[in-house]
Amino acid sequence: MARALFMSMAGPILYALFLRRTAWSWTLFSARLIWDLPKASEPTTIPPYHISLILRSATSGFLLVVLWEFSNAAFSSFVAQEPLKSGEPLTSESRDPNGSLLNGLNSRKEVSKKFAFWELYLISSQSELRRMSIFSDIDRAGGATWTQVMQACLAMIEGVRNRISDFENPQPAPTQQQQQPNVQSLPRLSAPLRQESVLTNSPAPTNSRERIESTVGTVTKSLGQSRPSQQPTLSLSPRAKKYLGVARDRLLTQKQQEAVSPAGFTATVNYYLMQFLRSQFGGPFRQTYRRRVCAVVLGTRYSDLVAIVDAVESLTCLAEASLKEDPFGIVCKDVPLLVRTFVNSITGTRAFAQRLAIHWTDVDFDERSAGGREVEDVEIVVEALRKGLRTLLTSFGNYAFDIGLGVGEVNLARRVAGMEDGG
């Protein structure tokens, strides 16, 4: 209702000053195509706050706001629905459920990819039959279904470290060598360049052509080696400088002299610039720490937060369930890779968040405050990785050395996951 009231107050002024004349001309042009109307070039004059304009603005503004809110609510409720149909994943009705799932995980369309990772998480955590089909499908083109699912999830997780590496070590843009077209040169008008040393004295000219070349060369070298003309500079005598200093001291105070000095002018500009950045109008120009960290860790143009968390939780659930549901034991050999990837992602993300320099436009950042460098979205990813790492260590801790994890790797993983130290 408040938005409708605002539209009823601002709408008449905007319409009367900016929109009414344009709307009148377009309406009149369209109407003349059908009816024979008098040639009225100007609309009638009405005050901005005419009662009819206020009523129409209030009604139109209210209906427009209702349309916005209804569309937003409908879209949000539709997108928030789980990718299920009759309680089963959407790909269950496909002729090749695993193939359809893999196509979604490797899709280039962001929406399809995000929903595919969401469906994978639901399969990993709720559907035993689909999990067993993923473990049992080993004859698929391109590798076993579990291998392709793991590669898609690890690519999403390792994308965090790749973006951090690209941000800290930007690659120079490749230079494209432009191919010069072969142009037929004009016939040579002068003698070819001499091959002997240029430091030795030139031989005396013997004919008229050589004498002309020698004369032109001498004049050219004299012009090139001549000193440039001295530019006249404005210099004051010591007496004039003395009088200028006396006049400056009498006309300007010490603070005024400091203000008009280069250092004072720079300080004044910086002060007003900081005030502008702290205002609500400077918000779009501030490169805050939170925005920069999220852009690197979670990606741009669209955030991969939900997809990364779904990938981590899907791998964790599938690995944990493989202890009972994997008939061929293909998952256990990949557990060391999962543990190392989780550990590297956690340590790399935290280290980057600590060493990222604060941009000079982030005027409100306070590192001494509680949680100064803790960003909620980044902490969600780190906590999901730590939770998955704890699950892997708990489920496969008794077989860690048999599946290829060393003592140092296990101890490091336990420390990163927040578990007690152990062998």
Side-chain angles (χ1 to χ4, degrees), residues 297-308:
V297 175
L298 305 179
T300 55
R301 160 182 179 190
Y302 303 103
S303 173
D304 290 335
L305 170 62
V306 178
I308 295 173

Side-chain angles (χ1 to χ4, degrees), residues 341-408:
T341 302
F342 286 12
V343 170
N344 294 334
S345 298
I346 294 172
T347 56
T349 303
R350 283 185 167 176
F352 171 74
Q354 292 298 321
R355 65 174 177 263
L356 179 63
I358 307 302
H359 199 267
W360 66 271
T361 59
D362 192 1
V363 293
D364 295 331
F365 180 81
D366 186 7
E367 193 166 3
R368 295 172 298 178
S369 62
R373 285 185 175 263
E374 292 184 1
V375 180
E376 181 181 2
D377 292 346
V378 177
E379 290 300 319
I380 290 175
V381 174
V382 173
E383 187 57 34
L385 289 167
R386 294 183 63 198
K387 182 180 177 182
L389 186 58
R390 286 194 294 267
T391 302
L392 292 177
L393 293 176
T394 303
S395 301
F396 294 89
N398 297 330
Y399 322 105
F401 307 123
D402 297 330
I403 61 179
L405 286 173
V407 178

Side-chain angles (χ1 to χ4, degrees), residues 26-38:
W26 280 97
T27 305
L28 187 62
F29 174 78
S30 302
R32 282 177 178 173
L33 299 177
I34 303 175
W35 298 286
D36 186 11
L37 299 177

Side-chain angles (χ1 to χ4, degrees), residues 115-154:
F115 272 92
F117 275 102
W118 190 1
E119 182 177 352
L120 176 63
Y121 167 70
L122 295 176
I123 292 173
S124 305
S125 59
Q126 300 177 10
S127 180
E128 180 180 355
L129 294 178
R130 290 296 304 273
R131 288 198 303 265
M132 295 182 65
S133 68
I134 292 176
F135 297 142
S136 303
D137 191 4
I138 61 176
D139 296 329
R140 179 174 296 276
T145 301
W146 155 253
T147 302
Q148 297 188 48
V149 168
M150 182 191 66
Q151 291 174 352
C153 293
L154 290 182

Side-chain angles (χ1 to χ4, degrees), residues 17-269:
L17 296 181
F18 303 104
L19 301 178
R20 188 166 183 260
R21 189 177 300 276
T22 303
W24 171 272
S25 60
W26 280 97
T27 305
L28 187 62
F29 174 78
S30 302
R32 282 177 178 173
L33 299 177
I34 303 175
W35 298 286
D36 186 11
L37 299 177
K39 296 182 179 180
S41 58
E42 296 292 335
T44 57
T45 303
I46 58 174
Y49 279 105
H50 193 270
I51 184 63
S52 62
L53 277 180
I54 295 177
L55 293 177
R56 281 184 288 178
S57 298
T59 304
S60 302
F62 176 75
L63 295 177
L64 182 60
V65 171
V66 169
L67 179 61
W68 286 343
E69 295 295 336
F70 177 78
S71 302
N72 187 30
F75 179 78
S76 300
S77 62
F78 173 76
V79 173
Q81 293 181 359
E82 296 179 340
L84 301 175
K85 185 176 182 181
S86 302
E88 295 293 331
L90 292 178
T91 56
S92 298
E93 297 184 352
S94 174
R95 293 183 178 179
D96 184 8
N98 291 337
S100 300
L101 179 62
L102 292 175
N103 290 336
L105 295 176
N106 299 318
S107 176
R108 295 184 178 180
K109 297 181 179 179
E110 291 294 330
V111 177
S112 302
K113 193 172 186 177
K114 301 296 175 55
F115 272 92
F117 275 102
W118 190 1
E119 182 177 352
L120 176 63
Y121 167 70
L122 295 176
I123 292 173
S124 305
S125 59
Q126 300 177 10
S127 180
E128 180 180 355
L129 294 178
R130 290 296 304 273
R131 288 198 303 265
M132 295 182 65
S133 68
I134 292 176
F135 297 142
S136 303
D137 191 4
I138 61 176
D139 296 329
R140 179 174 296 276
T145 301
W146 155 253
T147 302
Q148 297 188 48
V149 168
M150 182 191 66
Q151 291 174 352
C153 293
L154 290 182
M156 182 62 65
I157 299 172
E158 291 177 346
V160 175
R161 287 192 298 157
N162 295 336
R163 287 189 291 268
I164 293 175
S165 177
D166 294 340
F167 177 80
E168 295 182 333
N169 305 298
Q171 298 295 331
T175 57
Q176 297 181 354
Q177 297 181 354
Q178 298 181 355
Q179 297 181 355
Q180 299 293 339
N182 295 327
V183 181
Q184 186 177 3
S185 60
L186 297 175
R188 185 182 297 273
L189 301 179
S190 61
L193 297 177
R194 295 181 300 179
Q195 302 297 328
E196 64 271 11
S197 176
V198 297
L199 299 179
T200 59
N201 294 329
S202 302
T206 56
N207 52 36
S208 59
R209 180 175 179 177
E210 293 181 356
R211 284 194 292 269
I212 294 175
E213 290 180 356
S214 176
T215 303
V216 173
T218 303
V219 174
T220 303
K221 287 188 290 184
S222 63
L223 292 177
Q225 297 174 357
S226 61
R227 295 183 179 180
S229 59
Q230 298 293 335
Q231 296 292 337
T233 58
L234 179 60
S235 60
L236 299 177
S237 64
R239 191 172 186 178
K241 292 181 180 180
K242 178 181 178 181
Y243 288 147
L244 183 61
V246 172
R248 179 186 59 191
D249 294 338
R250 290 184 177 180
L251 295 177
L252 300 176
T253 63
Q254 185 65 24
K255 291 185 177 180
Q256 290 175 341
Q257 294 181 23
E258 293 177 356
V260 297
S261 64
F265 178 76
T266 303
T268 303
V269 172

